[in-house]
Amino acid sequence: MPSKERMLITGGNALEGEVRVSGGKNTAVAVIPATLLSDEPCTIENLPDIEDVRALVDILRSLGAKVTYVPGEFMTVDPRPVEMQEVGYRLCQRLRASYYLLGALLGRSGRAEVYYPGGCEIGSRPVDQHLKGFRALGAQTEEVGGRITVEAKELKGGDVFFDMVTVGATINVMLAAAKAQGTTIIYNAAKEPHIVDLANFLNSMGAKVKGAGTDVIRIRGQQYLHGANYAVIPDQIETGTLMIAAAATHGDVVIHGCIPTHMEALTAKLLEMGVRVSDSDDAIRVRSMGGHRAVNIKTQVYPGFPTDLQQPMSALLTTARGTSIVQETIFEQRFKHLDEIRRMGARVRVADRMAIIEGVPQLYGAPVTATDLRAGAALIVAGLMAKGVTEIYEPKYIDRGYDHIEEKLRSLGATISREREE
Ligand code: UD1
């Protein structure tokens, strides 16, 4: 059902000042289910205050875990009372990462029953590689009535060869393998920063994970994992969105608490466009005087240009001088935001997985609709650049993954608010 909320942005203000980035969404949604593998309570810090995290709290509680969650501070999960192995349909629909309950429960108790996940509609997003990985560990898998059941009498380490690089399947197999008997080797593994962060969390509980961050990961399963205190890494995509917003408004913003080396693909493109980017240990400064040049983008697995930043970046390119070609190689339906930004005056042609963007001097505010999380971020970028008022419908998608984004942008000088329609 469409929600009655809308976000209102009056564009044209240059963003200026300093802002702190929140903890990583994609790390949080892997680390929280991973607490189920522990035989003792775990405390996680630096979690972003977002809808996906709230949904996972509800899932863990539904399984019987004792969860204390103070948003913005910490989450403690005591998984010892958990006896359930099934996650209900409605809970699974609330986020894509509900599929990590498959790996986490399989590792914990040898069985999991989870519905096909909800989350953003950006392509078909199958789970065949996840299931193939579980089967390599000796599990039986079954898909009936929209429900996936995985079960293993004895979960045993094995060799897993992925047909493509997949973040979700790499994480899911790491979760199950942490408690399997013997060693699992994942070939063609994803190398994203949150894979490394999950490995660090598992190792802090006593797991033996080596090679995370390369394309071969070795996991020696452990019978007992102890409790741990862990802080998740900063959000790479929120950092990138703020960098793009700073450039888009011809602003001058320092983003604190980020990891500049995670941002190299974006930084390189912004520099190519004529934006000034500098960094120190844990901060990035983005300055722009405008006059951006068009650039070509091709999304790739890490360390290539992230698909999650393709959408906000292509919003920025709608006003760059010249023609930009954006190729989306990871998900097949990730250009819906461009249909919306066209209403604001952008000149864009989409052909299959390629968008050809001819830069225009100015976007104009219009009513637009967010169709997924990063499409919402792209519309925010477009709204900040546009002349006049942009109304963004369905901001609930943005709440899945951005922690207090309106407050953060307002603190930098943006005119942005939210209204409930009567
Ligand atoms: C994760 C991220 C998402 C990001 C994406 C790519 C989380 C919660 N989400 O999504 O923000 O955009 O990585 O960096 O971390 N595929 C299959 N079969 C499978 C699994 C994947 O064909 O079993 C395909 C997908 O359709 C897609 C590609 O592999 O074309 C990559 O998907 P994957 O890396 O798994 O993305 P997600 O884990 O869904």
Side-chain angles (χ1 to χ4, degrees):
M1 201 173 47
S3 74
K4 299 221 171 205
E5 280 189 330
R6 60 185 175 156
M7 203 180 257
L8 295 174
I9 303 175
T10 306
N13 303 0
L15 297 187
E16 278 171 6
E18 307 194 7
V19 65
R20 181 159 286 277
V21 76
S22 297
K25 165 190 171 284
N26 287 347
T27 301
V29 299
V31 164
I32 296 169
T35 59
L36 290 174
L37 297 168
S38 178
D39 295 282
E40 297 171 11
C42 292
T43 297
I44 316 294
E45 291 173 18
N46 202 33
L47 290 169
D49 181 11
I50 54 173
E51 177 52 28
D52 273 17
V53 166
R54 290 187 281 273
L56 281 169
V57 170
D58 291 344
I59 290 177
L60 292 192
R61 286 188 176 140
S62 80
L63 292 166
K66 202 162 161 269
V67 184
T68 310
Y69 177 40
V70 183
E73 303 220 351
F74 69 92
M75 181 187 295
T76 298
V77 181
D78 182 352
R80 289 171 298 186
V82 172
E83 282 180 7
M84 297 266 295
Q85 297 155 350
E86 299 95 30
V87 186
Y89 172 73
R90 283 202 174 277
L91 286 168
C92 292
Q93 281 296 300
R94 281 175 62 187
L95 78 165
R96 169 79 16 192
S98 55
Y99 54 32
Y100 293 150
L101 274 301
L102 283 171
L105 286 170
L106 181 63
R108 180 188 170 80
S109 52
R111 185 173 181 281
E113 222 179 274
V114 171
Y115 284 84
Y116 273 100
C120 290
E121 293 303 329
I122 51 179
S124 56
R125 305 185 88 173
V127 293
D128 56 302
Q129 301 298 306
H130 302 231
L131 302 185
K132 175 177 151 171
F134 296 142
R135 286 195 292 272
L137 270 57
Q140 310 263 352
T141 64
E142 191 183 66
E143 298 166 79
V144 180
R147 197 176 50 213
I148 305 166
T149 308
V150 293
E151 190 159 11
K153 283 206 175 64
E154 231 179 357
L155 202 59
K156 285 195 169 152
D159 289 354
V160 179
F161 296 85
F162 286 130
D163 297 341
M164 78 276 297
V165 179
T166 141
V167 172
T170 302
I171 287 178
N172 238 338
V173 171
M174 285 169 74
L175 292 171
K179 295 276 277 193
Q181 276 178 37
T183 299
T184 297
I185 306 181
I186 305 176
Y187 296 93
N188 202 20
K191 295 184 277 204
E192 267 67 4
H194 39 291
I195 305 276
V196 179
D197 209 34
L198 174 67
N200 289 340
F201 174 57
L202 292 172
N203 287 340
S204 72
M205 295 196 289
K208 303 277 179 264
V209 183
K210 284 191 177 156
T214 75
D215 50 18
V216 180
I217 303 179
R218 283 185 169 71
I219 304 139
R220 189 142 53 82
Q222 304 295 307
Q223 260 198 339
Y224 191 92
L225 293 179
H226 56 73
N229 267 36
Y230 195 77
V232 302
I233 53 167
D235 198 300
Q236 179 200 5
I237 307 302
E238 187 199 5
T239 304
T241 306
L242 291 167
M243 290 170 71
I244 291 168
T249 59
H250 307 170
D252 182 354
V253 174
V254 181
I255 302 161
H256 290 282
C258 59
I259 301 180
T261 49
H262 291 171
M263 306 312 305
E264 274 162 8
L266 174 64
T267 297
K269 280 294 158 189
L270 290 176
L271 290 171
E272 203 181 318
M273 291 179 74
V275 178
R276 288 156 76 185
V277 184
S278 52
D279 59 52
S280 58
D281 282 354
D282 67 346
I284 295 184
R285 182 176 181 189
V286 178
R287 279 174 290 172
S288 170
M289 306 287 281
H292 300 150
R293 292 183 287 275
V295 293
N296 297 335
I297 305 277
K298 184 173 181 181
T299 61
Q300 278 169 338
V301 295
Y302 189 81
F305 195 94
T307 170
D308 285 351
L309 287 177
Q310 176 269 105
Q311 291 158 294
M313 185 66 173
S314 52
L316 171 62
L317 291 174
T318 60
T319 60
R321 205 168 357 99
T323 302
S324 303
I325 295 176
V326 180
Q327 278 176 273
E328 174 55 64
T329 70
I330 315 279
F331 292 111
E332 62 268 30
Q333 288 175 38
R334 240 186 170 174
F335 285 134
K336 292 185 203 159
H337 60 294
L338 290 175
D339 289 335
E340 300 298 306
I341 300 174
R342 225 187 254 125
R343 297 163 189 270
M344 301 171 70
R347 282 173 61 188
V348 181
R349 269 182 302 134
V350 174
D352 195 22
R353 289 186 174 208
M354 186 184 290
I356 299 152
I357 303 174
E358 281 176 49
V360 293
Q362 180 73 63
L363 295 181
Y364 296 90
V368 287
T369 301
T371 50
D372 60 77
L373 166 61
R374 308 299 172 190
L379 296 179
I380 292 180
V381 170
L384 291 170
M385 294 196 282
K387 198 173 174 133
V389 179
T390 297
E391 300 162 44
I392 304 178
Y393 288 82
E394 303 300 333
K396 65 178 186 204
Y397 288 108
I398 298 165
D399 300 335
R400 280 187 178 166
Y402 287 92
D403 179 352
H404 291 92
I405 188 74
E406 285 126 296
E407 280 92 325
K408 285 182 183 168
L409 291 172
R410 260 199 304 273
S411 77
L412 296 172
T415 306
I416 179 167
S417 60
R418 201 177 287 215
E419 265 185 9
R420 273 189 77 79
E421 278 189 298
E422 292 313 319

